[in-house]
Amino acid sequence: MKVKNQEEKNKKIVKKRKSELGYREMLLIADLYDLRYITTEQANRYYYVKEDGTNARMDWTYRKLNLLVKEGLLDTVLFPMNLRFKKLYYLTEEGINKALDLRDEELFRLDLEGNLRQMYRSASENLLDERDIRHQLFLNEIYFTFLTTLKREEFEWKDTAKSMIDESNIRLIPDATVTINHINYLIEADNDTISAKRLIKKMRMYNKFLEKTKDLDEEYKVLFICNTEKRKNKDKRIDSIIDVVTAEVPVCMRGIDFYVMSIENFRTNFYDRIYEQDVEDEKTLCETITERLADKSEKRYETDYKYNTLYGTGIATGAIIDGEHVYAIEDLTIGNIKNYQRFREAVKLAKYGQITPIAIVADENRARIEADRLRYIPYALFYLLDSEKIVSVLPDEIVEKGLKRTDKTLYY
């Protein structure tokens, strides 16, 4: 009799556990189909947030995840990270079936096209090797940035399998695609594992595809995000990629947005400066600074200004017009390749005297780096955000400049 009562008690416990699959757990399981693996820390940061904005205790998150393991929805693997092993969670076959059921529900809005089951991945197919796991965990951080920046219903995330573009001799496989207000953001998560040769090949394919998009009804932007959190020299990898993209994707110069940035810069600037809301009278940083400089020098300014000189033509994102002279202003702080290409084109023409290129950079150190990449060409100026002043950079000094002109001399 005692044994029978114990069996009934155990059944009640099991039933209670299965009924404890709350909204947060359902979101985690639904997301994990695309994310594939998740750490306890990631789950704690993005799924177990209390009403006051703080995170639940780690031991609470750990218990919740282990409950899903006991129910057969998740399994674990130990993975080497930072000189020790961390536990990663992934979906079992039962967990994948549950994820597919959840994603079909309108509540989660994770597969609006309704074709997920046609692209079904089994539990074994969902597993990755060590290098791909590291890449996926970084890609997850990009997804979580969207999740914390926007409401879940404001964007649609497509993983690698659903992002593949294969048409008209163009085969392009972004790591993910995010659609927001009919704008498609093609995501590249850089973990410093792609070779220079493969990078060039990929960028040439991007140039082909972006050239084709001008004939499409949909708008595309590219976000190339670098994993720089553990790097001592954060700029080196980003600068090398910017150089490749600037050379291999010339179609950007006409106005297509292609960003190359660190994960920190992406987290800080995505909502305010990359995702441009359709708000009346909202100005970009470049337009704001162009307007400020024009007011000080009592000159007129324009945006997306097409200039013509005796030696060539170009486009300035922001321009101050002083008679026949043009100050071409570009924002280099968020890694938009369009701005780099336009700035470098202006630098080429600057030696003939009709153009003065001005690059907006974060600080004096960044001005030196950019000037060094241009071999200290003296025709370019830099607007320093940290001190709000204009400087020219020479090999051994930084000289403060102004926009008033006497012949070919710049002075305050």
Side-chain angles (χ1 to χ4, degrees):
M1 191 70 171
K2 190 174 182 180
V3 173
K4 186 177 180 181
N5 289 339
Q6 186 63 43
E7 286 177 353
E8 290 177 356
K9 187 177 180 182
N10 289 341
K11 287 180 181 179
K12 288 180 181 179
I13 292 173
V14 171
K15 187 175 181 181
K16 185 179 179 182
R17 281 178 178 169
K18 289 188 176 180
S19 68
E20 286 180 351
L21 193 63
Y23 182 70
R24 293 171 181 176
E25 288 75 31
M26 288 191 287
L27 283 179
L28 189 151
I29 289 170
D31 282 340
L32 201 49
Y33 181 81
D34 281 343
L35 303 182
R36 299 195 178 199
Y37 294 89
I38 196 169
T39 66
T40 309
E41 291 81 0
Q42 286 178 332
N44 182 256
R45 270 185 286 147
Y46 300 107
Y47 294 97
Y48 291 99
V49 181
K50 295 186 286 187
E51 290 182 1
D52 61 2
T54 61
N55 294 99
R57 298 193 316 271
M58 285 292 293
D59 60 335
W60 169 266
T61 302
Y62 181 77
R63 286 200 299 270
K64 285 289 186 180
L65 292 173
N66 276 346
L67 184 61
L68 297 177
V69 172
K70 290 178 182 177
E71 291 175 0
L73 298 173
L74 299 184
D75 205 346
T76 63
V77 63
L78 291 177
F79 186 73
M81 295 177 67
N82 302 327
L83 302 179
R84 64 191 184 95
F85 285 88
K86 280 192 175 183
K87 187 180 285 188
L88 304 183
Y89 297 85
Y90 62 91
L91 293 173
T92 62
E93 198 68 47
E94 184 179 347
I96 282 182
N97 286 327
K98 183 66 176 176
L100 295 175
D101 290 339
L102 290 170
R103 292 167 73 98
D104 281 341
E105 295 180 12
E106 186 178 350
L107 172 68
F108 295 98
R109 296 176 57 82
L110 291 172
D111 285 285
L112 304 184
E113 296 177 358
N115 64 353
L116 180 66
R117 288 188 183 273
Q118 297 174 20
M119 308 179 75
Y120 170 80
R121 275 197 310 265
S122 66
S124 59
E125 291 170 328
N126 223 30
L127 301 181
L128 301 169
D129 61 25
E130 182 174 330
R131 191 183 75 168
D132 288 338
I133 288 175
R134 292 185 188 280
H135 180 265
Q136 184 64 52
L137 290 175
F138 176 55
L139 184 59
N140 292 356
E141 290 297 326
I142 297 171
Y143 172 76
F144 292 138
T145 299
F146 285 108
L147 200 59
T148 54
T149 302
L150 302 168
K151 295 178 181 177
R152 182 177 287 272
E153 63 271 16
E154 291 178 337
F155 72 96
E156 181 187 2
W157 174 274
K158 296 179 183 178
D159 69 357
T160 307
K162 290 177 284 181
S163 298
M164 186 171 66
I165 298 163
D166 192 357
E167 56 180 64
S168 304
N169 296 321
I170 298 172
R171 183 175 173 79
L172 189 61
I173 309 178
D175 292 323
T177 303
V178 172
T179 303
I180 309 170
N181 284 349
H182 308 293
I183 299 175
N184 300 296
Y185 294 88
L186 305 179
I187 310 294
E188 292 288 343
D190 177 62
N191 233 4
D192 200 6
T193 55
I194 186 171
S195 67
K197 186 176 180 180
R198 280 181 58 212
L199 182 63
I200 290 172
K201 184 178 179 181
K202 187 159 201 169
M203 290 309 111
R204 288 175 179 170
M205 198 59 70
Y206 261 112
N207 190 61
K208 269 188 177 183
F209 174 70
L210 294 174
E211 177 74 40
K212 184 180 175 63
T213 60
K214 65 184 180 182
D215 300 323
L216 302 178
D217 294 333
E218 295 183 276
E219 182 179 353
Y220 288 85
K221 299 183 180 184
V222 183
L223 301 177
F224 201 111
I225 303 166
C226 302
N227 189 0
T228 53
E229 289 187 298
K230 301 276 190 276
R231 294 176 188 270
K232 290 183 180 178
N233 188 343
K234 295 179 181 293
D235 292 324
K236 188 175 180 181
R237 176 67 176 174
I238 296 171
D239 288 343
S240 64
I241 294 172
I242 285 174
D243 288 339
V244 172
V245 182
T246 300
E248 302 297 341
V249 195
V251 70
C252 291
M253 192 172 183
R254 297 204 301 269
I256 295 173
D257 290 325
F258 191 127
Y259 299 90
V260 180
M261 69 194 76
S262 66
I263 182 67
E264 297 94 334
N265 201 358
F266 172 63
R267 285 171 178 155
T268 304
N269 289 314
F270 172 72
Y271 187 78
D272 293 328
R273 298 187 54 197
I274 299 171
Y275 170 49
E276 298 174 357
Q277 301 179 83
D278 187 14
V279 178
E280 190 176 353
D281 297 328
E282 184 174 348
K283 293 183 173 67
T284 65
L285 176 69
C286 188
E287 186 176 352
T288 300
I289 290 173
T290 302
E291 183 180 30
R292 186 184 304 161
L293 294 177
D295 288 344
K296 283 186 178 180
S297 58
E298 298 182 340
K299 306 295 180 185
R300 72 181 179 91
Y301 80 94
E302 292 191 26
T303 57
D304 284 326
Y305 180 75
K306 295 181 181 179
Y307 55 83
N308 294 284
T309 73
L310 294 172
Y311 305 97
T313 62
I315 303 172
T317 302
I320 298 173
I321 296 92
D322 182 4
E324 293 184 354
H325 195 89
V326 176
Y327 294 93
I329 302 174
E330 303 296 339
D331 177 10
L332 304 190
T333 61
I334 53 174
N336 196 339
I337 298 304
K338 166 184 66 180
N339 298 345
Y340 277 89
Q341 290 173 335
R342 291 177 175 182
F343 177 67
R344 293 182 183 184
E345 193 63 30
V347 168
K348 289 179 186 177
L349 298 174
K351 62 182 178 181
Y352 300 111
Q354 291 178 273
I355 302 289
T356 300
I358 302 176
I360 301 171
V361 294
D363 50 38
E364 189 173 298
N365 181 57
R366 194 66 222 175
R368 289 186 184 278
I369 292 171
E370 293 298 338
D372 187 48
R373 289 164 71 190
L374 295 170
R375 299 178 184 273
Y376 290 102
I377 292 176
Y379 313 109
L381 299 178
F382 298 90
Y383 182 93
L384 310 183
L385 275 178
D386 63 345
S387 57
E388 295 190 352
K389 64 182 181 182
I390 298 170
V391 301
S392 64
V393 183
L394 304 175
D396 54 353
E397 63 180 332
I398 283 186
V399 182
E400 192 168 346
K401 297 285 186 179
L403 292 186
K404 294 180 181 178
R405 297 174 52 81
T406 301
D407 298 323
K408 294 182 180 180
T409 306
L410 295 167
Y411 66 94
Y412 261 114

